[in-house]
Amino acid sequence: MAVFIQQLINGLTLGAIYGLIAIGYTMVFGIIGMVNFAHGDLFMVSAFIALIVFVLLTSVLGIGSIALALLIVLVVGMLLTSLWGWAIERVAYRPLRGAFRLAPLISAIGVSIFLSNFVQVIQGARNKPTPPMIRDVIVLFESQGYTVALAYKQLMIMVVTAILLAAFWYVVQKTPLGRAQRACAQDQRMAALLGVDVDRTISLTFVMGAALAAVAGTMYLVYYGVVSFSDGFVPGVKAFTAAVLGGIGSLPGAVLGGIVIGLIETLWSAYFSIEYKDVAAFSILAITLIFLPQGLLGKPDVEKV
Amino acid sequence: MRGETLLRVEHLTMRFGGLVAVNDLSFTAKAGDITALIGPNGAGKTTVFNCITGFYKPSEGRVALAHGGEAAFAAIEEATEKGARTLSVGDGAIHLLERMPDYIVTQHARVARTFQNIRLFSGMTVLENLLVAQHNPLMLASGYSVLGILGLSSYTTRQREAVELAKAWLERIGLTERADDPAGDLPYGAQRRLEIARAMCTKPILLCLDEPAAGLNPRESLELNTLLRDIRDRDETSLLLIEHDMTVVMEISDHVVVLDYGVKIADGSPEQVKNDPKVIGAYLGVEDEEVAAVEAEVEGRA
Amino acid sequence: MAVLSQSTAAGAEARVPDRFVSASKDAGFAALVTLGLCVPLVTLRTDSEEGGELILVPRLGLTAALCLAIFFARLGYLLLWGKEARAARQPTSRKEAIKTVATPRHSLTTIGLPIALGFAIAYPLLVTVINGGLSEARYWIDLGILVLTYVMLGWGLNIVVGLAGLLDLGYVAFYAIGAYSYAILSTTFHISFWVCLPIAGMLAATWGVLLGFPVLRLRGDYLAIVTLAFGEIIRLVLINWVPVTNGGAGIASIPRASFFGLPFNDDDDGFAAFFHLEFSPMHRIVFLFYLILALATLTSIVTTRLRRLPVGRAWEALREDEIACRSLGINTTTTKLSAFATGALFGGLAGSFFAVRQGFVSPESFNFLESAIILAIVVLGGMGSQIGVVIAAAVMIAGPEMLRNLGFLKAIFGENFDPSEYRLLIFGLAMVVMMIWRPRGLVSTREPTVFLKERKSISSDLVKEGHG
């Protein structure tokens, strides 16, 4: 039981990170119907930005307070990753808008390959470890000699995810930007006729997705304390799985899907086999799409004849 | 066989969630007839079509088609109880369409259809469109591709016959000159005719046309009437059509069924239906007496 | 009249500096964005010190160089190929421009393939003469083998993606199944290559059906993602199923192919002795080249024939409109499965070839990147076009490979500069650029499979890309 609860906590933390990445997939798919394949690699880039800024702040500028350093890392990371998100959309996707359906997908795969290799060339191929940033844990209870603990960093990840989800949910549901996004998702041409700046709205969607990926990247770095250039692909695919599982286009669905994937992965590793944890995640993706293509919180799609 | 019942729709109901699109609809269509299904927008006509052609699974009801004369209907209960899709009766057979997947409806029950928003293979040539329609016999002739790859002559002969059939249809719809052009390049009216010809290349005994006259100019509309009558008279094919254009309906149909809000409100010859107060009410949205009043008012203002 | 033309000319002249200023502004903005992107990712490199602590190494020069490079690239682009530059060069309307692009080119597709085949047959001789010896030409023949492998894979995937319009991102799975089939059958059961080849193809095709079956209902990007997941699952199973696949270490010493029973060695019953040649290890390489050429040609011939058969036409019809297909009595399930199986079959054959050529297989050869490369070749080639795939494979595979030969880059960037490190970086960039340049691929017109009077190519505007 104690082991189970500990795994539950670990799974929720991992799920929160997947959920944050998944929101980026879900928003972009919702508005332009495209799988932004490079999103996972953008997440990896953001983790690198967070790493560099953190090292810069702590060892070069000598900021002692980890909390202050992390806050700065988060803000700077969100800003710079947003710029990456914006630039990628502008250069690689916008010229292909309304073109042949496969072209943006291939372009996105190209961006994904470019990003991971760019980071490899520019930052080196080795794993980049950081010293543990937050070590403290809250001991919840002990049973049969097994300590169930909630680490502060886990708590932080869950709280940050909850706050950001609430904020983004508010933006999409209540602000003119959110309204414009939903209008573009329905019909871009009509939205343009009604005075919505479609290009700007889509750009902002990418920027928002990138900002959340940056949060996920920072959290990932804090949680695992290590990042490498190839860390984008697998979390990316899992986050996409989460987005699909939750119902693509739905923000709470993305987070819910992320948590489900995180839990399944952690519990699978704990109770079955760690080697096949990714097989489990990919199988869930396939099974969901085959049997529940609208996801947990999505709307069903009726075939029009 | 002409004049005998070909299609029997019984108590057909189709629900989408809480919405009842078609409610307890029953009607029949006779072999050699042009039967029209009419009604205002949203009356459920296309839904009926989709149920007959297997694209939707009806919530309730039975759709039975007889091959080889109406005698086959004698076996309808037996087929229903056995859970069979098809039951042979003497020379003919009874087909329960509501149990079949869409492609089987065309392949075995030989019911073909067209679509409200034309669905041609626009990137393929006109001739290719007509050959795709002959897929099943050609597939058989090509030994499910295995013999075809080896270049067997039996397939070549069969393919030549398929091209001949296509040419004959191109002649009938006046598109011989454009056989090698992509279907998507044809003008709208020609696309409509090509879609009908393509459906006819499956050699159906019942052809379902979803608003064939929509978007046609008066001349094209006249040509269409000629084509449809020609199909009825020359081919072994009966027609069931959905139509909005009342002039087309009145001119060519032998039998009219009127739907409103998923319910049948009239059934009979064009003359009978035309004078049915319920039909007039449904189309103009008001009661009979009020129609006169509205008309008078409009005239007064003019 | 004269006054009018004079004033237009003056206007045009006046616009040139204007254009320069606006282009500079635009390029300046691009450079500024680049600066934002480079800080801190490029400017500060993380390096591990002794003891594992990370330190930052500033690289201001590289950052500045990148920003300047972007500035001048953007400026040059805007001045030479930008919208205004093109408008200034040719006062044709956009509509006319589209028309000329859409004009079908008969020649490339009809005569392209025989020319390519002729070139491929003569290729080993050609590079031998150029390099002054068979052994010296080894690099070039190896490169030819690599390109031909991708041509074959591209043609195989083309059946699924280009003809049937089903987006498959896990094609590498079938390549892997083919390779491992041969590796396991030959090392464990000592079955010869020529027997294994068809078995591997059949196994891959069977897997094509097995994996294809559950995903038939899916459309578009969903199908792409599930096939990607299947590809990854197969790779992960190869890594983890150690008793059979030997895990991440892979299977080594896979027996080599013989020339119909004659092994390529210097024994008395070897290939060289039988044909009274002097033994050379290059015989095997040349043999492999012609083997993959034969396999690729087989793929091409079968595909061309299938396109003219009802099943091929049904694939293309499926790509155009699935619902219409069903209304014509076509069983779309079996049609899709047949496309999956046929594509997988050729993937499996190519996989076996890969195993016999390398003598070693490991799961790392079959990662997602391979699928992405093959798909990029198909899309860049122009969906459904065979000659397009040949050109695209040559460009995408041989192009980055050429980087290795650019020794002069070392002179510019210093001795430590290894151009091949940038292979994938450039590959990714090239994928983006090529898609923007030609979203419909190099050969975008479609050749009809049958005609009454005249074969006319169909413009890509009309050809659909498929939904599933």
Side-chain angles (χ1 to χ4, degrees), chain A residues 237-262:
Chain A
V237 175
K238 284 183 191 160
F240 181 76
T241 308
V244 169
L245 183 63
I248 202 135
S250 154
L251 255 58
V255 176
L256 179 68
I259 288 172
V260 172
I261 295 286

mmCIF file of all heavy atoms in Angstrom, chain A residues 237-262:
data_model
loop_
_atom_site.group_PDB
_atom_site.id
_atom_site.type_symbol
_atom_site.label_atom_id
_atom_site.label_comp_id
_atom_site.label_asym_id
_atom_site.label_seq_id
_atom_site.Cartn_x
_atom_site.Cartn_y
_atom_site.Cartn_z
ATOM 1 N N VAL A 237 6.285 12.270 -27.690
ATOM 2 C CA VAL A 237 5.283 11.305 -28.157
ATOM 3 C C VAL A 237 4.323 10.949 -27.024
ATOM 4 O O VAL A 237 3.112 10.831 -27.230
ATOM 5 C CB VAL A 237 5.965 10.037 -28.714
ATOM 6 C CG1 VAL A 237 4.926 8.997 -29.073
ATOM 7 C CG2 VAL A 237 6.791 10.377 -29.932
ATOM 8 N N LYS A 238 4.860 10.826 -25.808
ATOM 9 C CA LYS A 238 3.980 10.493 -24.686
ATOM 10 C C LYS A 238 3.012 11.634 -24.404
ATOM 11 O O LYS A 238 1.837 11.401 -24.096
ATOM 12 C CB LYS A 238 4.813 10.184 -23.447
ATOM 13 C CG LYS A 238 5.433 8.818 -23.539
ATOM 14 C CD LYS A 238 6.184 8.495 -22.278
ATOM 15 C CE LYS A 238 7.010 7.252 -22.475
ATOM 16 N NZ LYS A 238 8.078 7.182 -21.476
ATOM 17 N N ALA A 239 3.502 12.857 -24.503
ATOM 18 C CA ALA A 239 2.606 13.990 -24.279
ATOM 19 C C ALA A 239 1.542 14.039 -25.359
ATOM 20 O O ALA A 239 0.375 14.345 -25.090
ATOM 21 C CB ALA A 239 3.404 15.294 -24.263
ATOM 22 N N PHE A 240 1.935 13.702 -26.578
ATOM 23 C CA PHE A 240 0.915 13.667 -27.628
ATOM 24 C C PHE A 240 -0.117 12.587 -27.310
ATOM 25 O O PHE A 240 -1.317 12.783 -27.480
ATOM 26 C CB PHE A 240 1.542 13.410 -29.003
ATOM 27 C CG PHE A 240 0.515 13.407 -30.086
ATOM 28 C CD1 PHE A 240 -0.018 14.598 -30.539
ATOM 29 C CD2 PHE A 240 0.024 12.230 -30.605
ATOM 30 C CE1 PHE A 240 -0.998 14.602 -31.494
ATOM 31 C CE2 PHE A 240 -0.961 12.227 -31.564
ATOM 32 C CZ PHE A 240 -1.469 13.418 -32.010
ATOM 33 N N THR A 241 0.383 11.440 -26.830
ATOM 34 C CA THR A 241 -0.521 10.382 -26.389
ATOM 35 C C THR A 241 -1.498 10.922 -25.353
ATOM 36 O O THR A 241 -2.701 10.666 -25.418
ATOM 37 C CB THR A 241 0.287 9.233 -25.758
ATOM 38 O OG1 THR A 241 1.296 8.864 -26.654
ATOM 39 C CG2 THR A 241 -0.585 8.055 -25.441
ATOM 40 N N ALA A 242 -0.952 11.710 -24.419
ATOM 41 C CA ALA A 242 -1.790 12.282 -23.372
ATOM 42 C C ALA A 242 -2.852 13.183 -23.975
ATOM 43 O O ALA A 242 -4.029 13.123 -23.598
ATOM 44 C CB ALA A 242 -0.922 13.066 -22.393
ATOM 45 N N ALA A 243 -2.448 14.010 -24.939
ATOM 46 C CA ALA A 243 -3.394 14.930 -25.568
ATOM 47 C C ALA A 243 -4.512 14.152 -26.253
ATOM 48 O O ALA A 243 -5.685 14.504 -26.169
ATOM 49 C CB ALA A 243 -2.659 15.816 -26.574
ATOM 50 N N VAL A 244 -4.135 13.073 -26.937
ATOM 51 C CA VAL A 244 -5.127 12.278 -27.655
ATOM 52 C C VAL A 244 -6.027 11.544 -26.676
ATOM 53 O O VAL A 244 -7.243 11.480 -26.840
ATOM 54 C CB VAL A 244 -4.416 11.281 -28.590
ATOM 55 C CG1 VAL A 244 -5.393 10.269 -29.144
ATOM 56 C CG2 VAL A 244 -3.737 12.022 -29.714
ATOM 57 N N LEU A 245 -5.408 10.998 -25.637
ATOM 58 C CA LEU A 245 -6.167 10.249 -24.642
ATOM 59 C C LEU A 245 -7.190 11.156 -23.974
ATOM 60 O O LEU A 245 -8.337 10.766 -23.736
ATOM 61 C CB LEU A 245 -5.201 9.671 -23.600
ATOM 62 C CG LEU A 245 -5.789 8.792 -22.517
ATOM 63 C CD1 LEU A 245 -6.389 7.544 -23.139
ATOM 64 C CD2 LEU A 245 -4.712 8.387 -21.524
ATOM 65 N N GLY A 246 -6.788 12.390 -23.676
ATOM 66 C CA GLY A 246 -7.698 13.312 -23.012
ATOM 67 C C GLY A 246 -8.763 13.857 -23.940
ATOM 68 O O GLY A 246 -9.754 14.417 -23.483
ATOM 69 N N GLY A 247 -8.563 13.715 -25.234
ATOM 70 C CA GLY A 247 -9.492 14.303 -26.196
ATOM 71 C C GLY A 247 -8.833 15.521 -26.789
ATOM 72 O O GLY A 247 -8.722 16.547 -26.128
ATOM 73 N N ILE A 248 -8.372 15.384 -28.035
ATOM 74 C CA ILE A 248 -7.544 16.457 -28.581
ATOM 75 C C ILE A 248 -8.381 17.729 -28.748
ATOM 76 O O ILE A 248 -9.531 17.674 -29.138
ATOM 77 C CB ILE A 248 -6.849 16.018 -29.878
ATOM 78 C CG1 ILE A 248 -5.633 16.878 -30.134
ATOM 79 C CG2 ILE A 248 -7.783 16.007 -31.063
ATOM 80 C CD1 ILE A 248 -4.430 16.105 -30.553
ATOM 81 N N GLY A 249 -7.797 18.864 -28.391
ATOM 82 C CA GLY A 249 -8.513 20.127 -28.422
ATOM 83 C C GLY A 249 -8.999 20.547 -27.040
ATOM 84 O O GLY A 249 -9.372 21.682 -26.835
ATOM 85 N N SER A 250 -8.967 19.622 -26.086
ATOM 86 C CA SER A 250 -9.476 19.934 -24.758
ATOM 87 C C SER A 250 -8.317 20.152 -23.786
ATOM 88 O O SER A 250 -7.471 19.274 -23.604
ATOM 89 C CB SER A 250 -10.366 18.789 -24.277
ATOM 90 O OG SER A 250 -10.380 18.739 -22.870
ATOM 91 N N LEU A 251 -8.254 21.335 -23.159
ATOM 92 C CA LEU A 251 -7.161 21.639 -22.234
ATOM 93 C C LEU A 251 -7.178 20.769 -20.981
ATOM 94 O O LEU A 251 -6.169 20.160 -20.629
ATOM 95 C CB LEU A 251 -7.199 23.125 -21.855
ATOM 96 C CG LEU A 251 -6.129 24.000 -22.510
ATOM 97 C CD1 LEU A 251 -6.197 23.932 -24.007
ATOM 98 C CD2 LEU A 251 -6.246 25.411 -22.030
ATOM 99 N N PRO A 252 -8.326 20.693 -20.269
ATOM 100 C CA PRO A 252 -8.334 19.799 -19.101
ATOM 101 C C PRO A 252 -8.080 18.360 -19.524
ATOM 102 O O PRO A 252 -7.432 17.600 -18.791
ATOM 103 C CB PRO A 252 -9.746 19.946 -18.539
ATOM 104 C CG PRO A 252 -10.307 21.152 -19.171
ATOM 105 C CD PRO A 252 -9.618 21.356 -20.463
ATOM 106 N N GLY A 253 -8.546 18.009 -20.724
ATOM 107 C CA GLY A 253 -8.315 16.658 -21.234
ATOM 108 C C GLY A 253 -6.833 16.364 -21.346
ATOM 109 O O GLY A 253 -6.379 15.277 -20.994
ATOM 110 N N ALA A 254 -6.066 17.365 -21.808
ATOM 111 C CA ALA A 254 -4.627 17.160 -21.971
ATOM 112 C C ALA A 254 -3.978 16.846 -20.630
ATOM 113 O O ALA A 254 -3.147 15.943 -20.522
ATOM 114 C CB ALA A 254 -4.003 18.405 -22.603
ATOM 115 N N VAL A 255 -4.376 17.617 -19.606
ATOM 116 C CA VAL A 255 -3.768 17.390 -18.291
ATOM 117 C C VAL A 255 -4.227 16.048 -17.726
ATOM 118 O O VAL A 255 -3.422 15.265 -17.210
ATOM 119 C CB VAL A 255 -4.120 18.546 -17.339
ATOM 120 C CG1 VAL A 255 -3.574 18.260 -15.953
ATOM 121 C CG2 VAL A 255 -3.537 19.836 -17.876
ATOM 122 N N LEU A 256 -5.504 15.766 -17.885
ATOM 123 C CA LEU A 256 -6.014 14.474 -17.411
ATOM 124 C C LEU A 256 -5.281 13.328 -18.110
ATOM 125 O O LEU A 256 -4.825 12.384 -17.458
ATOM 126 C CB LEU A 256 -7.520 14.388 -17.694
ATOM 127 C CG LEU A 256 -8.191 13.086 -17.283
ATOM 128 C CD1 LEU A 256 -8.210 12.960 -15.775
ATOM 129 C CD2 LEU A 256 -9.609 13.016 -17.830
ATOM 130 N N GLY A 257 -5.149 13.465 -19.438
ATOM 131 C CA GLY A 257 -4.441 12.433 -20.195
ATOM 132 C C GLY A 257 -3.008 12.298 -19.721
ATOM 133 O O GLY A 257 -2.498 11.195 -19.555
ATOM 134 N N GLY A 258 -2.362 13.446 -19.458
ATOM 135 C CA GLY A 258 -0.986 13.423 -18.984
ATOM 136 C C GLY A 258 -0.872 12.659 -17.678
ATOM 137 O O GLY A 258 0.023 11.830 -17.497
ATOM 138 N N ILE A 259 -1.817 12.919 -16.770
ATOM 139 C CA ILE A 259 -1.779 12.253 -15.465
ATOM 140 C C ILE A 259 -2.001 10.750 -15.631
ATOM 141 O O ILE A 259 -1.290 9.937 -15.022
ATOM 142 C CB ILE A 259 -2.814 12.911 -14.523
ATOM 143 C CG1 ILE A 259 -2.293 14.294 -14.121
ATOM 144 C CG2 ILE A 259 -3.050 12.038 -13.296
ATOM 145 C CD1 ILE A 259 -3.278 15.133 -13.367
ATOM 146 N N VAL A 260 -2.948 10.391 -16.511
ATOM 147 C CA VAL A 260 -3.203 8.959 -16.725
ATOM 148 C C VAL A 260 -1.942 8.283 -17.268
ATOM 149 O O VAL A 260 -1.513 7.235 -16.772
ATOM 150 C CB VAL A 260 -4.400 8.754 -17.684
ATOM 151 C CG1 VAL A 260 -4.522 7.286 -18.059
ATOM 152 C CG2 VAL A 260 -5.686 9.248 -17.045
ATOM 153 N N ILE A 261 -1.311 8.912 -18.272
ATOM 154 C CA ILE A 261 -0.095 8.324 -18.858
ATOM 155 C C ILE A 261 1.011 8.244 -17.811
ATOM 156 O O ILE A 261 1.694 7.226 -17.668
ATOM 157 C CB ILE A 261 0.380 9.168 -20.068
ATOM 158 C CG1 ILE A 261 -0.643 9.119 -21.197
ATOM 159 C CG2 ILE A 261 1.743 8.697 -20.561
ATOM 160 C CD1 ILE A 261 -0.687 7.843 -21.946
ATOM 161 N N GLY A 262 1.168 9.321 -17.028
ATOM 162 C CA GLY A 262 2.204 9.333 -15.997
ATOM 163 C C GLY A 262 1.986 8.219 -14.988
ATOM 164 O O GLY A 262 2.921 7.504 -14.612
#
